[in-house]
């Protein structure tokens, strides 16, 4: 099977050229509902593995961008399960997963997988971690792709968010809508932090300026759950610099289908550089503040 590796650069994933550059065949887009059903099945199956296989004490298997950016054996096992089912069910599709990178396909569809979003919560037994599965078309990068179908499955309590492009967003079958827009001063804002010292110094500077201007800040520890929580009105807005494609893919569609704008700064789309989400008017205010703060840079 042709393959290429994806590694994370400072501002996003850098995908090496596939070893077999065979042209992608264009065939009519699969039924998004079928992609959505498979996304949900995958997320639930991997979620059952993560839930049932959690030892009392979880060990760190390895680290990635820094000593605190951890991988557990379950991150690897969950992604292996997802890849195994996809190889059986959708052998022509590409896959981009957090732990094993990119494998090219020929169908025009890429599955974007986060086997455990919120790995640090999983490590400590804090019940906010999720399996995130999305089917996207277009290049496998948030600036360019179109997310067609998505599922985020919260492992600890079983909450399951689903969305199909144009079909609305749902939590356990119940339709979701973001909160009405609110002034920033009355907005509960979610955010998250990266794993490198340089990134965190810059994020601390930005949070110090945002915190006095909003109702409060929440740091749930799973970007996918942040965006899904926003979709159901549990947050008024969300921003984060440094999201990887797998953090963003599924949950961005859930948020958008619930009525959120999901964007970057300075007219750019949401990406690793910056993601801001919420109702349009709230996002406008937050984007203006974040642009003023150069929040899409690592300036300390
Ligand atoms: C992390 C979580 C966290 C966010 C980080 C992500 P991981 O994903 O989504 O909330 O702040 O930016 O890297 O490492 O648990 O898969």
């Amino acid at each position: 099977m042709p393959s290429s590796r994806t590694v994370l650069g400072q501002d996003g994933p850098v995908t090496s050229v596939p070893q077999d550059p065979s042209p992608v065949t264009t065939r009519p887009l699969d039924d998004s509902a079928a992609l959505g059903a498979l996304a949900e099945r995958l997320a639930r199956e991997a979620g059952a593995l993560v839930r049932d296989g959690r030892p009392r004490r979880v060990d760190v298997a390895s680290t990635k961008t820094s000593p605190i950016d951890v991988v557990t054996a379950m991150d690897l096992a969950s992604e292996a399960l997802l890849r195994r089912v996809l190889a059986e069910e959708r052998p022509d599709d590409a896959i981009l997963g957090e732990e094993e990178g990119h494998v090219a396909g020929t169908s025009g569809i890429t599955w974007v997988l986060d086997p455990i979003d919120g790995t640090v919560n999983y490590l400590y037994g804090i019940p906010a971690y999720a399996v995130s599965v999305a089917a996207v078309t277009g290049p496998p990068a948030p600036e360019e792709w179109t997310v067609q179908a998505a599922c985020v499955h919260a492992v600890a309590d079983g909450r399951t968010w689903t969305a199909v492009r144009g079909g609305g967003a749902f939590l356990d079958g119940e339709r979701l809508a973001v909160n009405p827009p609110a002034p920033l001063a009355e907005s509960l804002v979610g955010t998250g932090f990266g794993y490198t010292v340089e990134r965190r110094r810059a994020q601390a500077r930005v949070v110090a300026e945002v915190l006095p201007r909003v109702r409060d800040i929440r740091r749930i520890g799973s970007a996918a759950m942040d965006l899904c929580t926003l979709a159901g009105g549990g947050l008024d807005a969300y921003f984060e610099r440094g999201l990887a494609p797998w953090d963003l893919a599924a949950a961005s569609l859930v948020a958008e289908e619930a009525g959120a704008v999901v964007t970057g700064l300075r007219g750019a789309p949401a990406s690793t550089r910056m993601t801001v989400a919420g109702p349009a008017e709230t996002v406008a205010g937050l984007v203006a503040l974040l642009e003023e703060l150069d929040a899409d840079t690592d300036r300390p």
Side-chain angles (χ1 to χ4, degrees):
M1 185 177 279
S3 69
S4 61
R5 289 285 298 172
T6 299
V7 292
L8 271 185
Q10 275 293 89
D11 282 314
V14 182
T15 305
S16 63
V17 177
Q19 287 151 20
D20 173 1
S22 43
V24 166
T25 56
T26 42
R27 69 174 197 216
L29 185 63
D30 287 58
D31 177 7
S32 304
L35 296 175
L38 180 57
E40 183 171 352
R41 194 189 123 199
L42 287 162
R44 286 183 183 276
E45 278 186 29
L49 175 78
V50 174
R51 186 184 58 247
D52 299 343
R54 188 177 185 280
R56 274 180 70 81
R57 280 196 89 86
V58 177
D59 291 324
V60 172
S62 59
T63 58
K64 293 188 283 191
T65 58
S66 80
I68 53 167
D69 185 3
V70 298
V71 180
T72 70
M74 192 55 87
D75 289 273
L76 302 169
S78 172
E79 186 161 323
L81 180 153
L82 295 168
R83 285 177 183 266
R84 210 162 45 239
V85 178
L86 283 169
E88 284 161 16
E89 303 273 335
R90 308 275 316 178
D92 298 336
D93 295 354
I95 299 176
L96 175 63
E98 175 166 18
E99 310 306 340
E100 297 294 334
H102 183 254
V103 174
T106 55
S107 66
I109 292 169
T110 302
W111 292 88
V112 184
L113 310 173
D114 196 333
I116 302 179
D117 184 50
T119 299
V120 174
N121 286 342
Y122 174 76
L123 187 66
Y124 283 82
I126 297 168
Y129 46 93
V131 179
S132 173
V133 177
V136 311
T137 49
E143 300 89 333
E144 296 177 272
W145 69 31
T146 304
V147 186
Q148 302 293 348
C151 180
V152 175
H153 175 65
V155 173
D157 62 14
R159 279 179 299 162
T160 303
W161 291 269
T162 53
V164 165
R165 177 156 294 279
F170 298 84
L171 167 58
D172 297 333
E174 200 169 307
R175 188 144 191 166
L176 298 175
V178 292
N179 287 339
L184 262 192
E186 291 161 30
S187 292
L188 185 62
V189 179
T191 193
F193 308 116
Y195 292 114
T196 64
V197 170
E198 184 194 28
R199 174 67 44 90
R200 285 186 171 188
R201 279 197 210 291
Q203 288 174 320
R205 173 185 62 79
V206 170
V207 166
E209 295 293 335
V210 173
L211 182 56
R213 295 176 166 89
V214 298
R215 184 188 296 277
D216 208 341
I217 291 219
R218 291 291 178 270
R219 196 290 195 250
I220 293 173
S222 157
M225 289 180 68
D226 285 320
L227 283 160
C228 289
T229 300
L230 172 90
L235 291 171
D236 295 303
Y238 166 78
F239 74 97
E240 184 164 349
R241 170 159 165 77
L243 292 186
W246 37 84
D247 299 322
L248 186 57
S252 67
L253 183 63
V254 173
E256 280 176 355
E257 288 293 327
V261 168
V262 182
T263 186
L265 301 189
R266 306 173 217 291
S271 73
T272 296
R273 193 171 176 84
M274 177 55 74
T275 296
V276 189
E281 292 91 329
T282 310
V283 163
L286 186 54
V287 161
L289 174 60
L290 294 171
E291 286 179 353
E292 204 181 299
L293 295 171
D294 288 334
D296 53 348
T297 72
D298 286 339
R299 177 167 76 70

